[in-house]
């Protein structure tokens, strides 16, 4: 009777599902369907028979499982049977369930959760060295569970313009009770020092890493945190994957900057990069400098920069601390992407600029100080008090003040007019007070230079006033000429 039921179920399974099932190392279960509790996909695999006769008993493939039933605990079986039991438990964990309905398959879901917990404990305890077959099947089980189509973003469902990411409620993955344990299992497999990378890299290959990177688009912050940790561990353990990971991350940044401006995991990817940059050997490779110029600096362009600016700023500063000659490149890059109308971004840029200047040496500073302080002067005179105040706070940094003092002959004439205008007419009292303090600082620093700047400013103001008076005078003469012409010829007005 059971064989007839299973035969009928197999007829219902589509050809595509049968093809998909061939990727599993055992006869995998199907996904939940509306017509029945379980649809079973069948696949046979002969390559699982181990090459060495001594390991035959431990690695023999168990018969396919067609339902989720609890299995014995590892401690309840002999050591020789644990590898086979491990494979059977992996089969259970390949069953997929619908988590949108919490009551559907509740018993099977709990069995799978308990089985995943047992697998995590078994890997963590190091009770036995896993055979290559077990490692392969474990990675395949992990792939079945974590690699999936992510749900569309909220704005994609409604067709509306994407809202501010900071204001959106984060999407939480309904299958997280299982998914978390799968990620934990992957982490416990990668982290231990006794994991043989020569064997593991066969299964944790480029395809696996690329699909892992694609998952960073998930909106669930819990999943992104696990992905960040796992990818960082893979980068550290599998040296063969390092160039590939950097290139793949590069491509994600390019697509985000120039196409979508929408990605949930940019911050997490930049956190990984911060650690990678910290480990770069000196002298720095040209490849890494190009990455800074082509990917990291343009990341200042997208509108949602506030979501990842802290991590981006850390990466940028790491580059400057590693190679001080990059300071000029970084500062000019910031100036290139400096926001014009977005005051919130301007405040972020000023904060990052201060961190970069702290790591900048005099020679590099002198190369870019003129365009830099032309931009700072515009910030000083901004009508937005947060921008003006943040620019004025640069003078609270001792290293920045030291750089300015050494080059005051160039800098003070650039910013003097902005300071004077703030003192004369800025509406915010804090900006007015800070501007007066900086003016006083320059006066004490170099009285002669200050007097020259004061005189030049007054002459410029007088000249501007004279130009304005001449302009007004010309308009008055023009008005008088028109009135006189109208009196002489009344027909003009009619």
């Amino acid at each position: 009777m059971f064989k007839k039921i299973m035969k009928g179920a197999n007829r219902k399974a589509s050809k595509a599902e049968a093809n998909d099932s061939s990727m599993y190392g055992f006869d995998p279960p199907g996904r939940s369907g509306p017509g029945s509790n379980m649809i079973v996909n069948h696949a046979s695999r002969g390559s699982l028979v181990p090459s060495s006769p001594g390991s035959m008993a431990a690695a023999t493939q168990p018969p396919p499982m067609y339902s989720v039933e609890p299995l014995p605990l590892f401690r309840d079986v002999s050591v020789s049977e644990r590898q086979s039991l491990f494979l059977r438990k992996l089969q259970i964990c390949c069953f997929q369930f619908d988590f949108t309905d919490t009551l559907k398959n509740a018993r099977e879901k709990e069995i799978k959760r308990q089985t995943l917990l047992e697998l995590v404990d078994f890997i963590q305890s190091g009770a036995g060295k896993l055979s290559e077959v077990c490692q392969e099947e474990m990675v395949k089980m992990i792939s079945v569970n974590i690699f999936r189509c992510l749900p569309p973003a909220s704005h994609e469902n409604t067709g509306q313009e994407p809202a501010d990411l900071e204001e959106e409620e984060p999407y939480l993955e309904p299958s997280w009770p299982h998914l978390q344990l799968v990620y934990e299992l992957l982490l416990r497999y990668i982290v231990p020092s006794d994991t043989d990378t020569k064997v593991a890299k066969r299964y944790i290959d480029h395809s696996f890493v690329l699909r892992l990177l694609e998952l960073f688009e998930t909106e669930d912050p819990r999943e992104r945190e696990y992905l960040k940790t796992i990818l960082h561990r893979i980068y550290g353990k599998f040296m063969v994957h390092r160039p590939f990971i950097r290139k793949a991350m590069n491509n994600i940044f390019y697509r985000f900057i120039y196409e979508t401006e929408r990605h949930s995991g940019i911050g997490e990817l930049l956190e990984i990069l911060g650690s990678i940059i910290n480990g770069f050997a000196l002298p720095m490779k040209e490849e890494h400098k190009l990455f800074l110029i082509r990917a990291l600096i343009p990341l200042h362009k997208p509108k949602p920069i506030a979501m990842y600016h802290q991590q981006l700023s850390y990466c940028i500063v790491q580059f400057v601390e590693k190679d001080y000659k990059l300071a000029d490149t970084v500062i000019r890059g910031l100036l290139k992407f400096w926001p014009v109308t977005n005051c919130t971004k301007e405040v972020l840029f000023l904060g990052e600029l201060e961190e970069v200047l702290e790591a900048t040496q005099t020679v590099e500073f002198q190369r870019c100080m003129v365009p830099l302080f032309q931009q700072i002067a515009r910030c000083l005179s901004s009508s937005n008090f947060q921008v003006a105040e943040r620019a004025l706070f640069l003078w609270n940094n001792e290293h920045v003040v030291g750089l300015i003092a050494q080059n005051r002959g160039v800098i003070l004439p650039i910013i003097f007019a902005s300071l004077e205008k703030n003192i004369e007419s800025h509406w915010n009292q804090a900006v007015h007070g800070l501007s007066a303090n900086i003016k006083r600082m320059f006066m004490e620093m170099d009285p002669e230079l200050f007097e020259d700047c004061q005189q030049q400013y007054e002459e410029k103001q007088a000249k501007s006033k004279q130009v304005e008076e001449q302009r007004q005078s010309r308009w008055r003469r023009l008005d008088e000429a028109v009135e006189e012409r109208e009196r002489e010829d009344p027909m003009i007005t009619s």
Side-chain angles (χ1 to χ4, degrees):
M1 184 64 181
F2 179 72
K3 290 182 179 178
K4 289 181 180 179
I5 293 172
M6 294 312 303
K7 189 174 181 182
N10 284 336
R11 289 197 190 100
K12 294 179 183 178
S14 67
K15 185 177 180 181
E17 289 173 326
N19 290 338
D20 288 343
S21 68
S22 63
M23 69 176 284
Y24 306 123
F26 39 78
D27 292 340
R31 299 178 182 269
S32 301
S36 62
N37 286 342
M38 216 58 72
I39 298 174
V40 181
N41 299 329
H42 291 276
S44 59
R45 182 184 171 107
S47 61
L48 291 178
V49 179
S51 56
S52 60
S55 60
M56 181 72 74
T60 300
Q61 188 64 38
M65 299 180 68
Y66 303 111
S67 63
V68 177
E69 296 295 337
L71 293 172
L73 299 174
F74 284 110
R75 65 171 179 264
D76 295 337
V77 299
S78 64
V79 174
S80 61
E81 294 176 338
R82 285 179 181 174
Q83 300 277 334
S84 177
L85 180 60
F86 186 86
L87 289 171
R88 293 174 67 197
K89 288 182 182 289
L90 290 177
Q91 290 187 28
I92 286 179
C93 295
C94 270
F95 279 97
Q96 302 290 293
F97 299 104
D98 180 9
F99 277 82
T100 56
D101 185 349
T102 54
L103 299 178
K104 188 176 181 180
N105 302 120
R107 173 179 170 275
E108 288 83 355
K109 289 175 185 175
E110 180 58 23
I111 292 172
K112 178 177 176 179
R113 192 183 73 83
Q114 291 295 335
T115 305
L116 284 167
L117 278 170
E118 291 172 30
L119 290 172
V120 171
D121 289 341
F122 182 75
I123 295 292
Q124 190 172 2
S125 65
K129 186 174 176 63
L130 292 178
S131 67
E132 291 187 25
V133 172
C134 288
Q135 292 182 54
E136 182 178 5
E137 300 312 320
M138 180 176 66
V139 173
K140 286 181 179 177
M141 181 277 289
I142 290 168
S143 300
V144 166
N145 281 275
I146 67 174
F147 298 141
R148 65 206 189 281
C149 290
L150 297 173
S154 54
H155 72 280
E156 292 174 359
N157 287 330
T158 60
Q160 299 174 352
E161 285 293 316
D164 188 347
L165 291 176
E166 290 181 320
E167 296 176 2
E168 289 184 9
E169 287 294 323
Y171 168 81
L172 299 178
E173 174 62 48
S175 61
W176 186 246
H178 288 181
L179 206 56
Q180 179 184 13
L181 294 172
V182 176
Y183 279 123
E184 193 66 37
L185 182 65
L186 176 57
L187 189 60
R188 299 299 172 191
Y189 171 60
I190 294 169
V191 168
S193 56
D194 58 348
T195 299
D196 188 348
T197 54
K198 291 182 180 179
V199 174
K201 73 180 181 182
R202 299 176 195 166
Y203 319 122
I204 310 293
D205 56 8
H206 284 183
S207 174
F208 185 93
V209 170
L210 197 59
R211 296 178 76 186
L212 204 66
L213 279 162
E214 289 172 358
L215 289 174
F216 275 86
E217 286 205 71
T218 179
E219 293 187 17
D220 192 328
R222 303 169 300 180
E223 184 171 6
R224 294 201 305 271
E225 194 66 26
Y226 263 102
L227 287 166
K228 178 185 73 177
T229 306
I230 289 166
L231 186 63
H232 191 193
R233 295 289 187 173
I234 290 173
Y235 187 91
K237 199 173 191 73
F238 299 88
M239 293 187 68
V240 67
H241 292 334
R242 289 183 180 183
F244 177 80
I245 291 173
R246 291 197 300 269
K247 185 176 180 180
M249 292 170 81
N250 235 345
N251 293 335
I252 291 172
F253 292 145
Y254 289 154
R255 186 165 182 266
F256 172 71
I257 295 164
Y258 300 110
E259 294 181 19
T260 65
E261 288 201 359
R262 185 84 187 191
H263 195 291
S264 301
I266 297 296
E268 285 78 8
L269 291 172
L270 286 169
E271 275 191 61
I272 299 168
L273 268 175
S275 179
I276 291 171
I277 295 164
N278 195 33
F280 282 166
L282 295 175
M284 198 176 291
K285 293 179 181 178
E286 195 63 27
E287 169 203 345
H288 303 326
K289 295 178 183 178
L290 288 174
F291 171 70
L292 167 70
I293 295 166
R294 294 177 180 176
L296 286 187
I297 291 177
L299 274 172
H300 291 86
K301 175 180 174 283
K303 186 178 178 181
I305 186 176
M307 297 296 295
Y308 58 81
H309 181 263
Q310 184 180 353
Q311 296 91 333
L312 175 60
S313 179
Y314 178 78
C315 291
I316 294 288
V317 173
Q318 284 286 303
F319 265 102
V320 179
E321 289 179 349
K322 281 276 180 182
D323 186 351
Y324 69 89
K325 292 181 181 178
L326 292 171
D328 176 50
T329 303
V330 167
I331 290 171
R332 289 182 184 276
L334 284 174
L335 296 176
K336 178 182 177 181
F337 293 104
W338 200 277
V340 178
T341 58
N342 191 328
C343 297
T344 306
K345 277 183 75 172
E346 272 199 278
V347 172
L348 293 175
F349 273 51
L350 286 163
E352 182 178 351
L353 179 62
E354 181 177 351
E355 291 184 42
V356 172
L357 287 173
E358 279 192 37
T360 303
Q361 297 186 13
T362 305
V363 175
E364 305 305 317
F365 178 77
Q366 288 172 344
R367 289 179 182 173
C368 60
M369 63 183 176
V370 173
L372 171 61
F373 277 87
Q374 286 172 347
Q375 180 59 59
I376 290 175
R378 288 191 285 271
C379 293
L380 289 172
S381 56
S382 172
S383 58
N384 183 287
F385 83 95
Q386 290 177 317
V387 173
E389 190 175 55
R390 188 64 189 84
L392 290 161
F393 281 158
L394 290 173
W395 275 263
N396 289 344
N397 188 299
E398 289 184 12
H399 183 73
V400 175
V401 170
L403 292 172
I404 293 171
Q406 292 173 30
N407 302 278
R408 58 185 179 272
V410 176
I411 293 170
L412 183 56
I414 296 173
I415 65 169
F416 191 88
S418 297
L419 293 174
E420 281 293 330
K421 287 175 183 176
N422 282 352
I423 294 169
E424 290 171 7
S425 59
H426 202 284
W427 64 270
N428 185 272
Q429 197 61 37
V431 171
H432 183 280
L434 288 167
S435 299
N437 291 340
I438 292 171
K439 181 181 175 183
R440 194 179 306 113
M441 182 191 299
F442 277 111
M443 191 187 304
E444 294 170 357
M445 192 184 294
D446 193 335
E448 186 177 342
L449 174 64
F450 184 85
E451 286 296 327
D452 289 343
C453 290
Q454 182 85 45
Q455 186 178 350
Q456 289 173 15
Y457 174 75
E458 289 172 357
E459 288 174 358
K460 191 176 179 181
Q461 289 295 101
K463 190 175 180 180
S464 297
K465 188 177 180 181
Q466 185 181 359
V467 170
E468 178 63 21
E469 287 174 355
Q470 289 174 354
R471 189 177 69 85
Q472 293 292 344
S473 176
R474 283 195 295 269
W475 277 110
R476 280 195 300 270
R477 287 199 302 272
L478 185 60
D479 287 340
E480 289 169 1
V482 171
E483 289 174 4
E484 184 178 350
R485 184 72 181 276
E486 288 173 353
R487 283 195 301 269
E488 293 175 355
D489 189 357
M491 293 297 292
I492 294 177
T493 54
S494 62

